[in-house]
Amino acid sequence: MKIVRRLSLLVSLSSLLAMPALVQAQDAASPALSPEPSRSTWPAVTRPADRGPRHYSAVRSGTFGGKSLRYRAVLSEMLVRDRAGKPASSLFVTAFVAGIDQRLAAQRPVIFIFNGGPGGSSNTLMFGAMGPSRLQAFDVAAIGNAKTPVVPNEDAVLDIADLVFIDAPETGYGRPLPGSDEKTFRSNDGDSNAFAQVILRWLTDNGRMASPVYIMGESYGSIRAVLLARDLRVATPRVEPAGLILVSQALWYNGPETGMTVLPDPVRAVNSLPDIAALAWHHGLIDNRTQTLEQAVRAAQTFALQDYAKILIAGNRAPETERACVAERLAQLTGVPASTWLAGSLRLSNIRRQMLAGRNLALGQFDGREIEPLQGIVDDSHRDFKAMMAGLTAATGQLRRDLFHAEGLPDYRSTVDSPPAFEETWTFNKAPMPGTEIILREQMAAMPKMRLMVTQGVFDTTTTMGETDYQFAQIAAPQDRTTFAYYPGGHMLYSEDEGRRAFLSDVRTFISGQVLARRPFPHPAPGQIGGRKQATGQ
């Protein structure tokens, strides 16, 4: 799972929600691209990963996209090398490859898929949306229940592309090799280098160097996807991805908060208001009977960019009467009392804990539709992630036993043992290295055929839709090569049938090279997850 646990709606910077014309507009004030794109702090990859000793395969059949086909499932160990070229860690790849005429293989796309963290395996995307099998349900309860059934995933895109899931070093069955430093790949660039080695090995061994390559990364994995595009472009042999699919993107994230006290940023407050309105609509804090979700978001957006922005920029120079009027309007738009807005200088300091405080509830860590008791709430950094992912871990174990009949592997890690401690040891980009969003701009310019697909759940409380819209407005990704889509979900935007099917339909269109039609703004039923009515706590 994505362990960007410290991120809350407070660090989301926006909501130019569902306005592609604004999101994709060119920003004349953006800094000019460097003549030569930036490079990794690690040496360029010149050799693929080594083959590991453990390799398992099986042949199965299924129906995908309405087509019946046979496919080969392969679990392979690979050994990735450190800066000096010495094998330092094992990691495992699970591939699903359709049984087609090998003469056609070079024309068939390959999607390399992974989740984030850092410190997460790839089984969230595998059993949530992309694999040939999935968990029957995918809400918080189902993910954490080892008895959640696994069912066929007929919406998977295996009929048009082969699927390769990569577990990051120290996750899945992968472990550091004896004598190596366990922290070798705990950095943005080291992690990307390891994945690039694996991708080159898989393409080489399977005779697929000519295949269209797509890279799908979720949450922190979106950062990895961008860095992989950079590193594969200068690797030997060279690979230029046909496209990147960024799921619940987190390009702006660059490590845990420093703890420094700084002045409040009006832009953050202004641009997060439509996100708050969306959550308020879902939970019935505002009218969700005669007003649609989109109408609630639009109303908040209009107010945010006008009166709200003006008063926040004025700060303590704004007349009290105007501040009171703005607080009343904020209460109407969000259902949060005007007194709460006034007490916080017209901001919410902890949205997840403040929005439903009147019901003694807090919003979920990854999906704002999920709720938990406010009293005694566990800090995100102290959550039991192993228990939270018990259902996913059990499903992966079932795959190992029933499909691959693999014995002697270590316990599967859906995440590293202690995600908070792991992230503290991670090296994020540091100056003068550019941020990931700048690297994306560079690579889009350096590879004029590479396309971009950005997907977002409208109730995401970890990497919010507002942040996505704002960031891509600043990146100014080429409009003719970039598509955006929003779904009625949270951080795992495919967590229920409607969102999963819409997401996979859009992935299918994107991989097929077709123009992705503009998806209407989501229109979910309020107060429900997966068609089930939520308890309100009132």
Side-chain angles (χ1 to χ4, degrees):
M1 189 179 290
K2 298 66 45 186
I3 319 297
V4 195
R5 66 198 183 285
R6 302 184 183 194
L7 311 179
S8 69
L9 286 174
L10 280 177
V11 292
S12 77
L13 292 181
S14 84
S15 229
L16 298 175
L17 204 67
M19 297 179 67
L22 287 178
V23 172
Q24 298 174 356
Q26 296 295 321
D27 182 0
S30 297
L33 293 171
S34 301
E36 179 65 25
S38 56
R39 293 209 176 196
S40 172
T41 57
W42 274 53
V45 177
T46 57
R47 292 171 52 196
D50 293 336
R51 301 179 188 89
R54 291 173 284 193
H55 181 92
Y56 313 90
S57 66
V59 176
R60 290 292 185 270
S61 61
T63 299
F64 308 100
K67 299 178 181 178
S68 297
L69 57 84
R70 289 172 63 81
Y71 64 93
R72 179 174 295 277
V74 183
L75 176 64
S76 302
E77 181 181 26
M78 297 189 185
L79 308 179
V80 289
R81 289 182 299 278
D82 61 18
R83 287 173 177 269
K86 177 182 177 182
S89 181
S90 69
L91 57 76
F92 282 75
V93 172
T94 306
F96 301 97
V97 180
I100 61 172
D101 188 332
Q102 287 302 304
R103 291 173 296 180
L104 303 176
Q107 303 170 25
R108 183 173 166 83
V110 181
I111 312 176
F112 292 95
I113 305 165
F114 39 79
N115 285 94
S121 71
S122 64
N123 63 0
T124 305
L125 271 170
M126 182 186 293
F127 288 104
M130 293 298 295
S133 299
R134 62 177 177 84
L135 291 186
Q136 188 175 53
F138 212 77
D139 57 12
V140 168
I143 293 171
N145 183 358
K147 296 182 179 180
T148 300
V150 176
V151 299
N153 182 18
E154 296 188 355
D155 298 313
V157 300
L158 187 56
D159 55 305
I160 65 164
D162 294 327
L163 311 173
V164 183
F165 297 85
I166 306 175
D167 289 334
E170 301 183 76
T171 75
Y173 303 115
R175 301 292 187 271
L177 297 179
S180 65
D181 184 351
E182 64 179 8
K183 298 180 182 179
T184 297
F185 301 104
R186 294 185 192 177
S187 67
N188 286 16
D189 287 349
D191 171 88
S192 176
N193 192 283
F195 273 71
Q197 294 178 45
V198 168
I199 290 174
L200 289 181
R201 169 55 61 197
W202 194 93
L203 292 172
T204 301
D205 284 356
N206 289 275
R208 303 294 291 277
M209 286 300 297
S211 292
V213 170
Y214 289 84
I215 300 175
M216 176 184 289
E218 182 172 26
S219 196
Y220 175 82
S222 64
I223 296 174
R224 180 185 293 133
V226 172
L227 300 185
L228 265 172
R230 175 199 66 186
D231 294 348
L232 289 170
R233 187 180 63 83
V234 297
T236 304
R238 175 190 177 104
V239 175
E240 290 197 7
L244 306 181
I245 303 174
L246 309 184
V247 183
S248 304
Q249 70 85 29
L251 301 189
W252 50 275
Y253 187 62
N254 201 40
E257 297 173 12
T258 63
M260 294 179 61
T261 301
V262 297
L263 288 172
D265 183 354
V267 174
R268 291 185 175 184
V270 167
N271 292 328
S272 66
L273 186 61
D275 292 289
I276 301 173
L279 293 166
W281 181 90
H282 173 81
H283 289 288
L285 296 179
I286 59 176
D287 174 23
N288 59 15
R289 294 179 181 271
T290 65
Q291 176 183 226
T292 67
L293 173 61
E294 183 173 10
Q295 288 171 336
V297 166
R298 298 295 190 198
Q301 185 181 66
T302 299
F303 182 74
L305 296 176
Q306 296 176 4
D307 295 357
Y308 189 40
K310 176 182 176 181
I311 199 115
L312 286 176
I313 292 172
N316 61 12
R317 297 178 180 178
E320 287 300 318
T321 54
E322 291 186 17
R323 293 172 60 83
C325 287
V326 166
E328 287 295 335
R329 181 58 178 151
L330 288 169
Q332 294 169 7
L333 292 166
T334 67
V336 177
S339 58
T340 301
W341 285 104
L342 287 169
S345 298
L346 300 179
R347 299 169 173 85
L348 297 185
S349 59
N350 191 324
I351 294 167
R352 283 174 48 203
R353 299 193 183 195
Q354 287 178 283
M355 281 198 67
L356 299 180
R359 302 178 187 175
N360 293 315
L361 296 172
L363 303 180
Q365 181 181 3
F366 298 111
D367 188 329
R369 298 172 302 172
E370 300 276 3
I371 53 176
E372 57 185 326
L374 182 61
Q375 302 303 319
I377 185 173
V378 178
D379 185 79
D380 291 343
S381 62
H382 294 113
R383 292 184 186 273
D384 185 347
F385 286 94
K386 184 175 182 179
M388 288 171 61
M389 301 189 72
L392 283 168
T393 304
T396 311
Q398 180 179 333
L399 192 72
R400 174 185 61 80
R401 293 189 308 272
D402 298 346
L403 180 62
F404 295 118
H405 305 289
E407 302 293 339
L409 295 177
D411 291 340
Y412 189 88
R413 292 175 176 169
S414 293
T415 71
V416 292
D417 292 338
S418 176
F422 185 83
E423 191 173 353
E424 293 291 345
T425 69
W426 193 268
T427 300
F428 290 86
N429 284 351
K430 297 179 180 178
M433 285 289 293
T436 310
E437 63 272 39
I438 301 301
I439 295 174
L440 175 60
R441 289 183 61 206
E442 292 176 341
Q443 298 308 314
M444 293 291 285
M447 292 181 279
K449 294 183 179 180
M450 185 173 75
R451 297 179 299 127
L452 181 66
M453 178 178 177
V454 183
T455 65
Q456 181 71 46
V458 296
F459 300 116
D460 190 341
T461 44
T462 300
T463 58
T464 68
M465 59 180 173
E467 167 57 24
T468 293
D469 290 333
Y470 178 83
Q471 183 146 40
F472 278 88
Q474 308 310 310
I475 292 174
Q479 182 173 347
D480 60 339
R481 292 189 280 140
T482 305
T483 60
F484 294 80
Y486 297 85
Y487 307 94
H491 199 52
M492 285 75 80
L493 53 85
Y494 41 80
S495 60
E496 54 187 270
D497 290 346
E498 180 184 355
R500 185 188 70 255
R501 289 169 180 157
F503 170 64
L504 289 173
S505 175
D506 290 345
V507 170
R508 185 180 300 278
T509 300
F510 184 75
I511 296 298
S512 300
Q514 303 172 37
V515 176
L516 189 63
R518 183 176 300 177
R519 181 170 291 283
F521 194 78
H523 185 60
Q528 296 184 20
I529 299 181
R532 298 187 303 278
K533 186 73 174 178
Q534 288 180 277
T536 64
Q538 291 176 304

